[in-house]
Amino acid sequence: MIRYQNVHKVFGDLEVLKGIDFEIGTGEVVCILGPSGSGKTTLLRCTNFLETPTKGLVTVGDVTIDTERHTKKEVAAIRKLSTMVFQNYNLFRNKTALQNVTAALTVVQKKSRTEAKEIGEHYLNLVGMSDRMDYYPSQLSGGQQQRVGIARALALQPHAILFDEPTAALDPELVGEVLGVMKTVARTGITMAVVTHEMGFAREVADRVVFMDGGVVVEQGPPQKVLDNPENPRTRQFLRAVAEKSEE
């Protein structure tokens, strides 16, 4: 479970998040939509304190943090429960696919090399990368690198995975393979918060869609309701713009 209660984030004079309030249930897949600058990525980064919220409460699993009074111990606890898949992969260039997956298992979770290798191989196989375990990132396509990033997140066995536009950096022909892996991940029952512009994925996989604009939640609900019959004019305007762009 992830819960945001009156979460704000200010950068200098710019208020990026203006009191976010919503919850993602355990095992729920929520897709977060919105235009650039709406605060989507900032919200994800505030979830595990890659960015520190200015005000509000953030809950992941059984850990709740008052962001104005947080401690290093609380941040470490929430980071054990959530991990992020970045749009630009963030792989170690000098490590193989398997080494990228096992690094945190040995360094952070203090697992033995043998156990870490078994876990890494399992999750690389799950994302269809069993034949590329000894390849370096420079030898992998963008889609393959992102699949390694997803395997790395899964290997930590977190309570929740945060996906920050995981297909944004991919060539169009590679998007499908990553979305396919994400569908597989969704079927495992793990809690997922997905910032995306992939409307087909949101429609097929999400339990709920949240539309953000201007640092606030404008509308949320089941995908069929929000995507096919949105109530808010701003949501309708955004979806029309997305549809027009996809037709170009």
Side-chain angles (χ1 to χ4, degrees):
M1 181 264 287
I2 302 172
R3 179 185 297 136
Y4 307 101
Q5 295 170 267
N6 194 33
V7 174
H8 293 251
K9 177 60 182 177
V10 177
F11 293 99
D13 296 328
L14 179 63
E15 189 174 19
V16 178
L17 300 177
K18 304 175 182 178
I20 300 297
D21 281 287
F22 74 91
E23 182 176 315
I24 301 173
T26 300
E28 188 177 20
V29 179
V30 171
C31 284
I32 305 171
L33 313 178
S36 297
S38 60
K40 309 181 302 296
T41 292
T42 298
L43 180 64
L44 284 196
R45 293 177 66 83
C46 284
T47 307
N48 62 357
F49 283 70
L50 293 177
E51 297 285 355
T52 302
T54 306
K55 183 172 70 172
L57 302 179
V58 175
T59 299
V60 178
D62 59 358
V63 177
T64 297
I65 297 182
D66 182 338
T67 62
E68 294 181 274
R69 300 174 181 84
H70 68 278
T71 65
K72 290 182 178 180
K73 184 177 180 180
E74 289 174 329
V75 171
I78 216 167
R79 285 178 176 168
K80 286 182 179 179
L81 295 171
S82 61
T83 188
M84 184 174 285
V85 175
F86 300 90
Q87 56 180 283
N88 291 316
Y89 327 130
N90 282 26
L91 300 180
F92 295 110
R93 311 306 295 178
N94 63 337
K95 295 183 183 295
T96 65
L98 181 59
Q99 289 168 341
N100 265 281
V101 175
T102 61
L105 296 175
T106 56
V107 174
V108 179
Q109 296 189 351
K110 307 301 182 184
K111 296 185 183 299
S112 69
R113 292 184 181 276
T114 299
E115 184 181 6
K117 183 173 182 289
E118 291 176 356
I119 294 170
E121 289 175 346
H122 169 75
Y123 284 107
L124 283 168
N125 182 63
L126 182 68
V127 301
M129 291 292 291
S130 59
D131 60 341
R132 296 289 190 274
M133 292 188 190
D134 296 325
Y135 284 53
Y136 290 89
S138 62
Q139 300 171 301
L140 301 173
S141 69
Q144 290 170 334
Q145 290 184 64
Q146 192 60 288
R147 284 191 275 163
V148 173
I150 294 171
R152 177 177 59 186
L154 286 167
L156 293 170
Q157 299 180 313
H159 175 80
I161 300 181
L162 316 171
F163 293 85
D164 182 19
E165 299 198 46
T167 61
L170 299 178
D171 292 333
E173 64 268 23
L174 300 177
V175 169
E177 69 179 65
V178 172
L179 292 178
V181 168
M182 290 175 65
K183 292 174 186 177
T184 299
V185 174
R187 288 193 290 269
T188 68
I190 195 167
T191 305
M192 295 170 59
V194 185
V195 169
T196 185
H197 285 105
E198 297 293 338
M199 299 300 157
F201 176 83
R203 186 185 303 277
E204 181 180 350
V205 179
D207 298 299
R208 187 157 41 96
V209 168
V210 173
F211 175 67
M212 290 180 61
D213 188 36
V216 300
V217 173
V218 175
E219 186 167 355
Q220 61 177 304
Q224 294 77 14
K225 180 179 181 297
V226 175
L227 299 179
D228 296 334
N229 191 28
E231 295 179 357
N232 192 283
R234 182 66 185 96
T235 312
R236 292 197 292 270
Q237 181 186 33
F238 172 78
L239 292 172
R240 279 198 301 270
V242 171
E244 290 170 359
K245 185 176 182 180
S246 65
E247 293 172 358
E248 291 177 356

